Amino acid sequence: MKRRRSLPRILSIILLTVAAIGFAFPFYFMLVGAFQENPTNSPSELLPTGGWTVDNFLAIDSRIDLMGSLLNSLIFTAGVLLGTVVFGLLAGYAIARLDFRGRGVVWVLMLLVQMVPFQLLMIPLYVQITRNYGLGDSYMGMILPFLINTTAVFIFVQFFKALPVEIFEAARIDGAGEIRLLTSVAIPLIRPVLVTVVLVTFIGPWNEFLWPFLITKDATLQPLAVSLANYISNVAQSTANPNGAILAGATALAFPVVILFVVFQRFFTATDLGAAVKG
């Protein structure tokens, strides 16, 4: 019996290991190519064929302001995250816990917005932001279309609805207002969800290329994804190690995301709602 029970477990471990290796291999190839002295032409080169070097990163930095572009990406991403969290929490709490006229209509409209591709709205948004608001070539012009994330609102609504009603009723009896309920009762109970929303939202603006490329003509304001795309299309092929330069750019773009996931992985834990309502 023990052998029969252990066999599926062994098979699942083997399958998960193979899948993990498959997912990790592109990152391994990217790192090897980014720091390799000789050109890396094929993923079949599992081991470095030359010495280690940082010249690929220096080649990028000599043509574009790598640290400046990184700072632009951080400002752009931080602005989007701030709007996503603030408006997402407020809208999610209002739809899930407040009883007001038109709440159902707001919920349906929010779901309909998710079905509209951003590409359909890009040109009207560009005209609105550049001509009417005069926010072309500015951080606010990059951030404004992404300030409210309906996906984040949807996630917050679902988890706010899952919280026990008794917690809110007890807090209201104690005289807590809605803002106090949100900040002191609701948010601490959905902290893992909050971290998940931040991590998922971070990937979008950090890798966003099309809108920042469209809205920014000043190279000093362009985020890392746009600067690297310009470098790869115009300059990388003229370097001594073109593939190394391209992979170095991909590493510079992916490294902050990987670090963020590693650091905040411990927050992906289930929230113990039962402890909050024990009498």
Side-chain angles (χ1 to χ4, degrees), residues 23-24 26-28 30-31 199 202-203 206-207 250-266 268:
F23 279 108
F27 292 97
Y28 170 78
M30 180 179 66
L31 287 173
L199 292 178
F202 180 89
I203 299 174
W206 183 262
N207 293 326
T251 301
L253 188 63
F255 185 73
V257 179
V258 175
I259 293 299
L260 192 71
F261 270 88
V262 171
V263 171
F264 289 97
Q265 185 180 11
R266 61 191 181 91
F268 285 93

Side-chain angles (χ1 to χ4, degrees), residues 13-199:
I13 292 174
I14 293 174
L15 290 175
L16 290 174
T17 303
V18 172
I21 294 173
F23 279 108
F25 177 75
F27 292 97
Y28 170 78
F29 176 71
M30 180 179 66
L31 287 173
V32 169
F35 290 98
Q36 192 172 343
E37 200 170 59
N38 296 332
T40 303
N41 298 315
S42 171
S44 62
E45 300 176 9
L46 297 178
L47 297 176
T49 58
W52 298 102
T53 181
V54 294
D55 290 343
N56 297 324
F57 293 92
L58 296 178
I60 297 176
D61 195 49
S62 64
R63 297 302 183 95
I64 65 173
D65 185 6
L66 192 59
M67 295 306 297
S69 299
L70 183 63
L71 180 61
N72 292 335
S73 291
L74 290 173
I75 294 174
F76 173 43
T77 305
V80 173
L81 287 178
L82 181 62
T84 297
V85 171
V86 173
F87 292 112
L89 285 172
L90 292 174
Y93 179 81
I95 295 174
R97 287 297 172 184
L98 299 183
D99 187 12
F100 59 92
R101 182 178 296 179
R103 183 176 64 172
V105 176
V106 173
W107 177 248
V108 171
L109 288 176
M110 192 199 71
L111 294 178
L112 291 175
V113 168
Q114 289 185 298
M115 302 178 186
V116 180
F118 180 73
Q119 287 76 10
L120 293 179
L121 305 175
M122 192 174 301
I123 300 304
L125 279 173
Y126 176 79
V127 174
Q128 183 82 1
I129 289 176
T130 55
R131 293 184 181 179
N132 297 348
Y133 298 157
L135 294 177
D137 276 329
S138 66
Y139 292 121
M140 184 56 67
M142 286 191 288
I143 295 170
L144 197 59
F146 304 94
L147 207 56
I148 300 177
N149 190 320
T150 54
T151 302
V153 175
F154 178 81
I155 294 173
F156 284 131
V157 167
Q158 298 307 310
F159 280 88
F160 279 137
K161 285 183 177 180
L163 297 179
V165 179
E166 294 82 358
I167 302 176
F168 296 92
E169 293 178 350
R172 288 191 179 95
I173 292 174
D174 292 337
E178 297 301 334
I179 298 298
R180 179 69 181 277
L181 284 172
L182 175 63
T183 57
S184 300
V185 177
I187 293 179
L189 291 174
I190 64 162
R191 191 173 299 168
V193 180
L194 182 60
V195 175
T196 302
V197 168
V198 169
L199 292 178

